[in-house]
C-alpha cells in the first residue's frame, strides 16, 4: 500500500484523490478496512510532510 501511495503522488495524484480512494476502500470493505485506512493515512501524511 505504501508503494501505491508513493507512486500516486509521484505521478501527480492529489491528496484529495488519494483520500477518495481510501474512502472507497472503506465503503467496499466495511469496518475491517479502517485498519488499512489508518495505515494509508499515516503513509500519506508522511509523504506530504504533515
Amino acid at each position: 500500500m505504501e508503494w501505491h501511495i508513493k507512486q500516486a503522488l509521484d505521478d501527480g495524484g492529489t491528496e484529495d484523490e488519494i483520500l477518495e480512494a481510501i474512502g472507497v476502500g472503506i465503503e467496499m470493505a466495511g469496518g475491517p478496512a479502517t485498519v488499512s485506512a489508518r495505515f494509508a493515512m499515516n503513509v500519506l501524511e508522511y509523504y506530504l510532510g504533515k
Side-chain angles (χ1 to χ4, degrees):
M1 189 179 328
E2 184 174 349
W3 182 87
H4 290 288
I5 292 169
K6 177 77 165 81
Q7 288 299 305
L9 291 169
D10 288 347
D11 290 338
T14 66
E15 179 179 6
D16 286 340
E17 290 170 332
I18 295 169
L19 290 173
E20 182 178 355
I22 293 169
V24 170
I26 292 172
E27 289 181 26
M28 298 301 293
T34 59
V35 175
S36 297
R38 183 174 179 174
F39 174 75
M41 293 296 298
N42 287 338
V43 170
L44 182 59
E45 289 175 355
Y46 172 80
Y47 283 117
L48 293 177
K50 292 184 176 184

